[in-house]
Amino acid sequence: MNTKPLTSVLVALLALSSTAAIAAAQVSSYVENNSPTGDPVVDASFNPYAKGLPTFPGYTPGVVIDKDNVETYKGMLDPAMYIFIKNGWYTVQTKAAFSELLTKSFREATKTNYKNVKLDPKTLQLEGYVSGRPFPQEPSLDDPQAGLKLAWNFLHGLNWGDNGTVNPFYWQYRNMKTGQVERVIDFQFNFLNYKHRFEDAPIPEVTPNPSDLYRGIYVKVLSPDDVRNTQLLIQRYDDDRKQDDTYLYLGFQRRVRRLPTGQTTDSFLGSDLMIQDFEGYNDRVGAMKWTYKGAKNILMPLYYHNDLKLSDEFPQPDGYKFVAFGGQGGCFPEITWQLRKTYELEAVPVNNGSPISKRLFYVDAQTGALSRTLIYDRKGNLWKSWTVGKTDPDHQLAINKHSGIPIDDSFSMVDLEAMHCTTGQFKGQISFKLNPPSLFQVQNMRDSGGGD
């Protein structure tokens, strides 16, 4: 009797069964990840849309907003977005909003710990914080510390989870008047939370951690040749009163130097961004005075990456495509926007030498992300508009699927005074393996740079 055909069938059935089991496990994990915690305060914080999505008079999701109808929808646009559309610089494609529930481990950590968290009345530092969202309670205009609590929520938010990598990461410097691309820089960005970890081992802390660091950010330029191997390292302490340690390695100097605090608000490598702009806001909570201005439903850049009309720029071996850019000067992401609940948060620099007078953040009420920021110059005039587009993780790279962590996917920094912009196109991954702690040390900069 020839058993080969039977054997082949059995192997195929086993493989199919295994695949089905894996798929079933993934679905089960996904359902569990999206289940409520049972704490009404926590569940309301992470799902503000449980009783319905935001609405605006006369607005139907799917409408295209342009200069001809912008006045109709002015109330659901932030001031910079209104200017862009009114001037004919940008046409906005809207889409129905969706609820972006975050990973259950983060929500459970919030549930377990938030009742023990408070602000020290003298230092305004967190007391009793372990992990999760420190203050899931709905902010109130009657609470003088509501703005500060929102800032702490962002600092200990879910951006990249416990660890993330962006590689490649293309920045394009553009003349907004002519559309000329003046420069393209390819970066690698890495992020690692040393403490207050909730998802990936080691939990709750990477050890050893003798300096008591909270977070590390490592940046390396991959091209072009004139700035290749330029590196930046930011080490943020768990004690927010301590200034970040920021180091820069310049390839042509072949040495690591420590950056003075003030240089984090200088132009980074000639772009329209400051180091302080990274991730929406990249600095200590104590660097700003925070004021909560109230809740508002506005359009926010949250979308499904794979559903967009993507760019053919920068072909990748795996076929991955980046968000495309268009509008005036090619400065605006060709994405879909959705009406979402936000918290308006004002941040005024404590340092009188800052080049800005304030930042106005629109904090996504559900995810905590700072996806829309308006930056004002020292005279109080609107200077820059900062957009960080995010994709649902289930509609981008397979490695991010079911992570419950919205993925940074595009950015646009528009300088209205200079009529210039810098745009960013991402390929981001949630991964501890790609972010070893050794990467976030000064010695790594010397070793990889070949400097002293």
Side-chain angles (χ1 to χ4, degrees), residues 149-162:
K149 291 174 181 177
L150 285 171
W152 279 114
N153 282 352
F154 174 74
L155 182 76
H156 290 295
L158 202 61
N159 225 17
W160 297 110
D162 291 331

Side-chain angles (χ1 to χ4, degrees), residues 243-244 246 259-266 276 283-284 351:
Q243 296 284 349
D244 295 350
T246 305
L259 284 184
T261 303
Q263 289 195 13
T264 59
T265 53
D266 291 345
Q276 194 181 72
D283 209 332
R284 299 174 304 111
N351 178 10

Side-chain angles (χ1 to χ4, degrees), residues 5 9 17 33 35 55 131 134 169 179 201 235 242 274 309 314 317 361 376 444 452:
V9 170
S17 175
N33 194 52
S35 61
T55 61
S131 61
F169 188 6
Q235 295 177 329
K242 297 183 68 174
M274 314 168 187
K309 182 180 179 181
F314 315 119
F361 298 105
Y376 293 79
N444 170 67
D452 298 329

Side-chain angles (χ1 to χ4, degrees), residues 54 225 227 267 353:
D225 287 342
V227 288
S267 167

